[in-house]
Amino acid sequence: MSEQPVLRFVLGDQLSRQVSSLADADPQNDVIFMAEVMDEATSVRHHKKKIVFLFSAMRHFAEELRKDGYTVDYLALDAKNNPGDFGGALKRAVEQHSPCRVVMTEPSEWRVLQAAHDWREELDVDLDIRADGRFLASHEDFVSWATDKDGGQPKTLRMEYFYREMRRRTGYLMNDGEPAGGEWNYDSENRKALPDDVDIPVRPRFEPDEVTTKVMDLVAERFPKHFGDIEPFDYPVTRADAVSYLEWFIDEALPGFGDWQDAMHEGEPLLFHSHLSALINCGLLEPRECCERAEKAYRKGDAPLNAVEGFIRQIIGWREFIRGVYWLKMPDYADVNALSARRSLPAFFWTGDTGMNCLAQSISETRTNAYAHHIQRLMVIGNFCLLAGIDPREVQEWFLIVYFDAYEWVEMPNVVGMALFADGGFLASKPYAASGSYINKMSNYCGSCRYSVKEKSGENACPFNYLYWNFLKENQKLLKSNHRMGLIMGQLGKMSDGKLKAVDEDAKRFFESDEMKGY
Ligand code: FAD
Ligand code: DLZ
Ligand code: SF4
């Protein structure tokens, strides 16, 4: 090396050649630094499969950079004298390489960005923290969109208007300035129940190679008490496999993505969902390329508009909106609890051992796969936490632990804003609360449940049924002013005293039952 190198610090969810910290990297002179650290792996007790996925993807990424001629300093978890935290690891790398400066891309989580500001003070060299250009909307873009005419922050934000703005800006699915097909949003076509005769596409498997197998052994040895199964492990961990998986999704599953987006089916954890979130969030795939591939399929006539619009909306709409809300609202967002929910998470969230089949299925799939699709997360697990009044802090921690796409920036607004209405309606216009009949309509879970979805009251009744009315009753004060809840609050108002008493008694019995026992 001729000159003092630039040290380029790449975090575990920045595994992209497009990431801003690598944009001007010089293979002849610079050092790319990556670190597996105990503090991150145990900041919460991440699912074992999530740690395997991320460490393996990190190791493969480092190897690919080396093959392309870059110097990579990779600190493995079990390396001698691993300081165990990002700050210590970076300090050591600076001492070792004497760089002229350190460059990194902005961390995706508030906690790590605060730490990075401290490193800037503590290090003897300049630390350049660059914007993360993988997102389509910058922080400034979002703040400017979210600020009202008088320069203040409105009481609520709606994803749909942000999404339309993003469509105009990206030009995705636009024809001469108008949305393809004439409508912005085809969600109303995307709520079909799954018919019996649908062939569900069979996913390609990516067998663990030597690097992944080594990481699997490491995780089994070092994190035995963490939640979840390590095997089977068959998810892509390299850029090449991620791209080939994206191609598979576009060809085989995207055409059905729209119609059955809200459906759930016992034994079918994925249905037509993309399973791309963890690959996008860690950097192996770019959100833009996923949207562009989907649009190409639509333009060629290979996938229908309701599927492609739905998929693109999730990425340039929901994903970007969620991230915008996170940075707009942090750090206070972590503690919001508008409904004063105080109950503890029951033990079955860790074991799957409950008579409620929808929850048993969704949680046991989560334990095996570190994945559940959106409707399982929102309308089964999140809905239960909402109706049962579980403390948002506990729910947030659970969701951050169990899913392999979970990082605080995306998990938190989805949990507190979307699933729990804990921000009082800043993100969602009404609570996503539903009784058992919604779950019965969208799944086949109820058929083999110990509870009866048809019964509204009593020991055998589906708990979602009476917990739903109990939730409305307990939160009447806040919900009655919500115009989207007008109809249902009107029904509550007309309920006879006898019915209200039964709801009270059923809810009380349930909350005191073994189902709600703590861990
Ligand atoms: P698909 O259904 O195929 O959707 C395509 C893509 O759209 C996803 O890969 C994802 O990148 C994006 N997307 C869709 N919905 C959302 C959304 N609401 N927020 C952000 N991106 C979205 N997503 C995470 O990535 N990490 C999380 O930690 C996370 N926690 C969630 C917690 C709750 C309570 C809820 C209700 C949702 C959460 N989501 C989270 C959003 C969503 O459920 C997942 O992105 C999705 O299930 C991932 O599966 P998929 O890739 O098959 O998605
Ligand atoms: C999730 C995670 C885990 C479990 N371990 C590491 C790690 O050892 N090293 C690393 O660079 N990143 C890890 N990550 C992802 C980080 O938590 C993520 O990059 C930051 O939280 C982003 O702010
Ligand atoms: Fe879930 Fe109720 Fe259906 Fe059982 S009956 S699967 S608890 S919705």
Side-chain angles (χ1 to χ4, degrees):
M1 275 176 208
S2 49
E3 305 162 21
Q4 268 184 298
V6 176
L7 188 70
R8 297 177 185 274
F9 186 20
V10 175
L11 301 177
D13 60 351
Q14 300 177 344
L15 309 181
S16 162
R17 300 296 268 269
Q18 258 89 54
V19 83
S20 55
S21 58
L22 295 180
D24 50 349
D26 175 2
Q28 308 302 323
N29 202 55
D30 296 349
V31 175
I32 297 168
F33 176 59
M34 298 174 69
E36 294 170 6
V37 291
M38 207 58 182
D39 262 22
E40 282 306 299
T42 55
S43 62
V44 292
R45 286 187 172 192
H46 295 287
H47 195 300
K48 293 191 196 91
K49 205 163 237 154
K50 177 178 177 185
I51 307 180
V52 170
F53 165 67
L54 212 64
F55 282 9
S56 176
M58 286 172 71
R59 290 180 184 199
H60 280 98
F61 185 69
E63 218 29 68
E64 284 159 20
L65 287 166
R66 280 194 189 114
K67 270 195 203 133
D68 287 350
Y70 290 92
T71 303
V72 182
D73 177 2
Y74 190 95
L75 182 69
L77 190 81
D78 45 6
K80 216 169 143 201
N81 301 329
N82 183 326
D85 66 311
F86 280 149
L90 183 59
K91 189 161 170 267
R92 213 182 74 162
V94 167
E95 283 162 10
Q96 201 174 328
H97 301 291
S98 304
C100 56
R101 64 199 164 97
V102 178
V103 171
M104 70 184 295
T105 293
E106 178 189 87
S108 66
E109 297 184 324
W110 197 85
R111 163 185 70 87
V112 186
L113 180 63
Q114 298 314 301
H117 289 148
D118 294 343
W119 309 334
R120 197 184 246 159
E121 302 297 311
E122 290 155 13
L123 291 173
D124 292 333
V125 286
D126 282 349
L127 170 60
D128 174 11
I129 303 176
R130 297 178 176 174
D132 191 339
R134 291 173 298 163
F135 290 95
L136 287 87
S138 66
H139 295 315
E140 295 74 27
D141 291 337
F142 193 82
V143 169
S144 133
W145 174 80
T147 306
D148 63 24
K149 285 192 274 344
D150 309 320
Q153 215 183 83
K155 284 209 182 76
T156 59
L157 291 180
R158 291 296 160 256
M159 192 285 295
E160 182 62 26
Y161 301 110
F162 171 76
Y163 166 58
R164 291 180 191 180
E165 185 69 27
M166 294 297 285
R167 287 273 294 279
R168 288 192 194 95
R169 275 185 43 188
T170 57
Y172 294 152
L173 296 180
M174 297 297 286
N175 296 333
D176 300 325
E178 295 299 319
E183 303 287 336
W184 290 103
N185 183 319
Y186 293 88
D187 208 24
S188 59
E189 294 177 25
N190 292 357
R191 295 177 191 143
K192 299 189 179 92
L194 196 77
D196 288 338
D197 57 354
V198 170
D199 285 333
I200 294 159
V202 180
R203 305 275 148 172
R205 294 173 54 92
F206 297 85
E207 294 299 334
D209 64 3
E210 217 177 295
V211 174
T212 305
T213 311
K214 237 175 138 183
V215 175
M216 288 163 83
D217 293 343
L218 172 82
V219 171
E221 192 195 314
R222 301 291 294 275
F223 307 102
K225 297 220 163 95
H226 284 219
F227 175 75
D229 303 339
I230 294 181
E231 293 187 76
F233 190 92
D234 56 9
Y235 202 53
V237 287
T238 63
R239 164 81 187 154
D241 284 352
V243 169
S244 118
Y245 178 70
L246 171 64
E247 290 301 320
W248 177 89
F249 166 71
I250 299 286
D251 293 343
E252 304 295 331
L254 178 64
F257 176 86
D259 286 357
W260 299 298
Q261 202 179 337
D262 288 4
M264 298 174 280
H265 200 82
E266 200 166 319
E268 292 292 348
L270 281 155
L271 297 171
F272 293 84
H273 286 271
S274 70
H275 208 211
L276 289 172
S277 50
L279 300 175
I280 301 175
N281 292 352
C282 82
L284 289 182
L285 290 175
E286 295 287 319
R288 287 181 186 84
E289 71 182 322
C290 297
C291 295
E292 281 155 20
R293 273 305 283 115
E295 172 153 21
K296 199 166 147 202
Y298 164 66
R299 300 280 178 201
K300 278 172 61 193
D302 293 342
L305 184 56
N306 70 316
V308 175
E309 186 282 317
F311 178 71
I312 289 180
R313 173 161 27 90
Q314 305 310 315
I315 294 182
I316 66 167
W318 277 113
R319 185 171 186 272
E320 296 280 335
F321 178 75
I322 287 283
R323 187 225 187 199
V325 168
Y326 176 74
W327 285 103
L328 197 68
K329 288 292 191 184
M330 279 302 277
D332 299 345
Y333 212 47
D335 295 314
V336 293
N337 191 356
L339 304 181
S340 304
R342 303 263 179 260
R343 277 192 191 88
S344 282
L345 210 59
F348 72 76
F349 270 71
W350 303 110
T351 60
D353 188 8
T354 164
M356 293 175 280
N357 192 38
C358 51
L359 282 157
Q361 293 296 326
S362 303
I363 291 169
S364 65
E365 286 174 7
T366 297
R367 195 177 51 210
T368 309
N369 305 324
Y371 176 88
H373 71 64
H374 187 66
I375 299 303
Q376 293 175 305
R377 295 188 205 194
L378 183 63
M379 299 310 296
V380 175
I381 303 172
N383 183 23
F384 178 82
C385 293
L386 173 72
L387 301 186
I390 311 290
D391 188 324
R393 294 293 316 209
E394 289 198 31
V395 184
Q396 282 183 60
E397 190 184 25
W398 187 84
F399 273 95
L400 192 56
I401 288 175
V402 304
Y403 293 116
F404 74 161
D405 54 22
Y407 301 87
E408 194 185 79
W409 68 266
V410 55
E411 163 274 319
M412 185 186 291
N414 270 301
V415 169
V416 301
M418 196 184 297
L420 300 185
F421 207 69
D423 64 2
F426 183 73
L427 186 150
S429 54
K430 72 180 185 69
Y432 283 91
S435 68
S437 64
Y438 172 86
I439 296 171
N440 191 32
K441 191 172 116 208
M442 298 314 301
S443 77
N444 64 349
Y445 292 146
C446 302
S448 38
C449 184
R450 111 142 191 51
Y451 298 100
S452 160
V453 73
K454 301 281 174 229
E455 289 180 43
K456 308 288 175 226
S457 173
E459 299 236 4
N460 288 328
C462 164
F464 283 84
N465 288 344
Y466 49 78
L467 291 182
Y468 175 72
W469 291 107
N470 186 59
F471 165 78
L472 297 179
K473 202 159 87 50
E474 285 194 341
N475 295 290
Q476 242 177 119
K477 225 165 143 191
L478 193 106
L479 300 180
K480 71 175 182 227
S481 57
N482 183 316
H483 71 279
R484 293 199 63 200
M485 298 294 286
L487 203 70
I488 200 75
M489 295 314 280
Q491 279 186 40
L492 178 74
K494 285 187 204 139
M495 256 190 180
S496 68
D497 287 349
K499 274 199 175 148
L500 289 172
K501 190 161 170 263
V503 166
D504 270 350
E505 283 169 4
D506 284 330
K508 188 166 181 294
R509 187 194 58 247
F510 180 81
F511 289 134
E512 286 168 2
S513 74
D514 282 356
E515 290 279 27
M516 286 298 286
K517 265 208 181 129
Y519 200 55

